[in-house]
Amino acid sequence: MLNIHKLSISFQGEYLFEDISFRLKGGDRVGLIGKNGAGKSTLLKILSNEMEYDSGQVATEKELKIGFLKQDIDFVYGRTILEEAYEAFSEIKEIEASIEAINTQLAERTDYESDGYHQLMVDLNDKQHQYEILGGYNYQGETEKVLQGLGFRREDFDKLTDTFSGGWRMRIELAKLLLQNNDILLLDEPTNHLDIESIIWLESFLKNYSGAVVIVSHDKMFLDNVTNRTIEISLGRIYDYPKPYTEYLVLREELREQQLASQKNQQKQIEQTEKLIEKFRAKASKASMAQSLIKKLNKIDRIEVDEDDNSVMTLNFPVSVTPGKVVVEMEDIEKHYGDLQVLKDVDMMVARDSKIAFVGQNGQGKSTLAKIIVGEIEFGGHLKLGHNVQIAYFAQNQAEYLDGNKTVLDTMIDAANETNRSKVRDILGAFLFRGDEVDKYVKVLSGGERNRLALAKLLLQPLNVLVMDEPTNHLDIKSKNVLKEALDRFQGTLILVSHDRDFLKGLTNKVYEFKNQKIKEYLGDIDYFLEQRNLENLREAEKRDVVKEQTDKTEAKQSYEEQKKLKSLNNRLSKIESKINQLEKEIKEIDVELQSNYDATVADPNFFDTYQKKKDNLQELMNNWEDIQLEIESF
């Protein structure tokens, strides 16, 4: 399907990766992993023909279709969600427009006997056949199913994309890719803007995808659930194993241990040979033997142990002062954005040292309540902070909270005070901003680097309450592990908005689900919440089954007359359908005859009257069929 051979690319004289080779085939679901800046997004851009490379080959099968979900996308304004999603079917939409144009001409023209009219009918038949082959009669239903799977509601379908956030627009782009029937899907951080329910739906979709998928993701659980192969980019090389992420880590560690053991044994042999060479060198009678050993030593293929980039940031959140027992108290909180009400009559009490997770679908008010707690936005209701509460806030959209025209160092110095300004460079070094990197402008930093800078800034302010909104977005897996360990050690109060199940696992002791303007409390971690939600879904299904059973019993009690009438309508419908099929067959035969033997067919003076009468009869039968069908549905 796709073959990469000795691919290399460099920036400013340094190789990002060099001489890497691998193949992609149908059914491969590859997790592409590595630290921020290792070259994952660059490799995806090369595979999608969006970026040139220095050397090597990228060979693909003829007419291979590749779909690429980038982290940053551009949208055409003025389209509804459905219209934008339908852009995935450009060929079908073109044929639709052609069919509509032909039908318009047929309705307007009366020259039934002309060659032009005949050609229009032939063209219409060809277009309809092509439309059917491409799935024209199914694409609208498929589009709605995928959009709903990604969290959109039916009432959203006719809303303009302009009115939705970047995260929701990313979902539309993802929906288009999933609908396009590509041979290869390249997905760069697809879960960053998805809630837990949508991530679970996407996992199910990708597991059944017949083509090849390459996924850049830092969500360990998502990678383990979806992928069957892992490619890691590390220090310019790749490591390729046919295992999902967690199993790959085990295999990689086993390989390193084997290499270390082999290297150790080889080193012993080399040292023994070198001692013999020194011993024989001193004796003239043994000089030829010494030379033989030297040649043997030079021919040894030295065993190398795979290098591993283990540089990670150092992170601790010290508590400033001990606050009162109640950290935050909320009563009757509500929030409107214009006519849209996001939160209504929300009550919550946050106790000191609580570890809380906010979960739920996008747009249900998680980030809104976080911003209300930290005083970012106005709201209705009452909110009271406890004694000595000092809140630090990590915002989801870091780009809006960091000045792109400042350097990394200036950003930190401006946020520091007299007591900690001298520690700024040490803090930056702990977050892997070393040497000349502190002079980089914020606007040129990657998403992961911006997140690290935002975390570093948090340490410059006194805090005993942390409110963090999607802090793991763009962080690589090692950095996420460091952050999780730091939050687990944190002695203060934590409120965490996140969709990352693996990150939340065991980190919080309380979960609040946001749904329909309300919140619901679950006393446990994310696993407990998901378990309870599954049970509730099962109970809802059981309730639906009970309702269906009651409905079945009610239908069974229908009067004999109603059942008799329904049977009569179904019989009539069946007879009409038979007549419709017969007429359609006759009309089709006439159309074929017209195409093959036009002059002989139209020689009959009654031909067009008979032909038109059949079409009128067909239309009348179709109208009768529709009336009876509506009557049957009313039962």
Side-chain angles (χ1 to χ4, degrees), residues 301-441:
D301 189 8
R302 306 288 174 120
I303 295 171
E304 294 183 3
V305 178
D306 292 336
E307 289 185 73
D308 201 3
D309 190 351
N310 287 314
S311 56
V312 291
M313 61 183 181
T314 307
L315 183 56
N316 282 296
F317 296 104
V319 173
S320 52
V321 294
T322 303
K325 286 187 177 180
V326 177
V327 172
V328 184
E329 205 167 357
M330 289 175 272
E331 187 179 346
D332 297 330
I333 296 293
E334 62 175 48
K335 176 62 183 175
H336 294 261
Y337 291 104
D339 296 331
L340 177 65
Q341 183 157 21
V342 181
L343 298 171
K344 182 181 180 183
D345 300 333
V346 170
D347 299 326
M348 182 190 292
M349 192 274 288
V350 179
R352 181 178 64 206
D353 301 338
S354 296
K355 297 285 180 74
I356 295 169
F358 286 177
V359 303
Q361 287 191 333
N362 293 106
Q364 293 293 331
K366 304 185 299 296
S367 296
T368 296
L369 190 59
K371 289 177 181 176
I372 288 172
I373 291 170
V374 301
E376 283 272 318
I377 55 176
E378 295 180 355
F379 60 94
H382 306 282
L383 182 144
K384 182 182 176 183
L385 296 181
H387 178 63
N388 274 344
V389 168
Q390 295 176 330
I391 299 179
Y393 176 48
F394 182 97
Q396 181 180 359
N397 45 341
Q398 285 307 312
E400 295 176 18
Y401 288 83
L402 296 171
D403 188 344
N405 295 316
K406 286 183 181 179
T407 65
V408 170
L409 184 60
D410 289 341
T411 299
M412 291 290 284
I413 289 174
D414 291 348
N417 53 42
E418 290 181 5
T419 59
N420 58 26
R421 192 165 286 124
S422 61
K423 299 177 182 176
V424 161
R425 283 189 177 271
D426 290 336
I427 294 172
L428 284 173
F431 282 81
L432 306 181
F433 292 106
R434 295 162 186 158
D436 295 340
E437 290 184 338
V438 300
D439 297 320
K440 281 184 178 179
Y441 281 96

Side-chain angles (χ1 to χ4, degrees), residues 30-36 40-41 44 71 186-192 194 199 202-203 206 214-224 226-227 230-231 245 472-478 480 499-501:
V30 179
L32 184 61
I33 63 169
K35 292 189 65 176
N36 292 123
K40 303 183 299 296
S41 296
L44 291 191
Q71 288 187 19
L186 308 175
L187 306 178
D188 197 354
E189 297 285 5
T191 64
N192 268 4
L194 299 182
I199 290 172
L202 181 60
E203 285 176 355
L206 292 176
V214 182
I215 305 165
V216 172
S217 179
H218 301 132
D219 185 329
K220 289 193 287 186
M221 192 173 289
F222 180 73
L223 288 172
D224 280 342
V226 172
T227 63
T230 300
I231 296 177
Y245 177 74
T472 62
N473 279 1
H474 306 296
L475 284 183
D476 58 56
I477 293 173
K478 288 181 179 177
K480 275 168 55 173
H499 61 260
D500 191 321
R501 292 159 293 169

Side-chain angles (χ1 to χ4, degrees), residues 1 39 51 62 96 155 202 209 225 257 275 316 326 340 345 414 417 429 476 525 528 548 566 573 611 618 630 634:
M1 186 177 280
M51 183 180 282
K62 195 176 180 182
E96 246 180 13
E155 51 265 38
L202 181 60
Y209 193 74
N225 289 343
E257 287 174 3
K275 284 178 184 178
N316 282 296
V326 177
L340 177 65
D345 300 333
D414 291 348
N417 53 42
D476 58 56
D525 73 349
Y528 175 78
K548 186 177 183 301
L566 186 61
L573 192 72
Y611 183 57
L618 178 61
L630 288 171
S634 70

Side-chain angles (χ1 to χ4, degrees), residues 549-590:
E549 188 178 336
Q550 290 171 345
T551 305
D552 290 343
K553 287 178 180 177
T554 303
E555 289 175 354
K557 292 179 181 178
Q558 278 182 328
S559 67
Y560 174 74
E561 286 78 12
E562 285 179 327
Q563 292 183 30
K564 190 176 178 182
K565 186 175 181 182
L566 186 61
K567 187 176 180 181
S568 172
L569 286 169
N570 279 317
N571 287 337
R572 285 173 59 194
L573 192 72
S574 180
K575 289 177 181 176
I576 288 175
E577 285 174 347
S578 296
K579 290 180 180 178
I580 287 172
N581 289 335
Q582 182 60 34
L583 266 176
E584 284 179 337
K585 186 178 178 183
E586 291 173 7
I587 291 170
K588 192 173 182 180
E589 287 173 354
I590 293 172

Side-chain angles (χ1 to χ4, degrees), residues 293-302:
L293 287 173
I294 289 170
K295 287 179 182 178
K296 182 182 175 183
L297 196 63
N298 290 334
K299 288 179 181 179
I300 289 177
D301 189 8
R302 306 288 174 120

